[in-house]
Amino acid sequence: MAEKEKMQARPAHNIIMENRKLLNLSGVKDVDSFDEQTVCVQTQLGNLTVKGDGLHISRLDQETGEMSIDGEISELVYSEIKDESQGFFARLFR
């Protein structure tokens, strides 16, 4: 029973890319910005930047946290989530 609770508490974030033309994401919290070359997304496990040409958000469901991006995808880059709960000196002396 405890293992089942751990699996449910873990954030669900998945990426499925088909032929570098279609990207399906789950675990999306928010879309920061987008244009035809770059889509910046906040996910359950960090910030994700998708780069390419002719990018288009074809589906975004905020209730389930799922989205689809189509276009020519050339790059996926994660960056860490910044912990804003720590103070200035705590971050300074890490």
Side-chain angles (χ1 to χ4, degrees):
M1 184 65 105
E3 290 179 36
K4 190 175 184 179
E5 289 176 8
K6 284 182 185 178
M7 288 182 7
Q8 289 177 350
R10 186 176 179 191
H13 172 60
N14 294 303
I15 295 178
I16 300 172
M17 185 170 8
E18 299 177 16
N19 298 323
R20 293 179 65 178
K21 301 283 182 193
L22 177 63
L23 188 67
N24 292 308
L25 302 166
S26 64
V28 173
K29 293 166 53 175
D30 195 15
V31 177
D32 288 334
S33 64
F34 63 93
D35 59 29
E36 289 189 355
Q37 287 80 33
T38 307
V39 179
C40 298
V41 180
Q42 291 179 12
T43 72
Q44 298 283 347
L45 300 178
N47 295 323
L48 174 65
T49 301
V50 180
K51 293 186 179 184
D53 288 318
L55 299 179
H56 177 258
I57 297 175
S58 56
R59 180 176 64 96
L60 176 61
D61 188 340
Q62 292 181 337
E63 288 183 20
T64 63
E66 296 179 352
M67 74 180 296
S68 296
I69 301 171
D70 57 44
E72 290 194 32
I73 299 164
S74 61
E75 188 176 341
L76 300 173
V77 178
Y78 279 98
S79 58
E80 294 297 319
I81 300 173
K82 294 180 181 176
D83 186 7
E84 308 238 348
S85 64
Q86 293 182 349
F88 171 74
F89 290 108
R91 290 190 308 255
L92 182 67
F93 294 111
R94 267 197 247 178

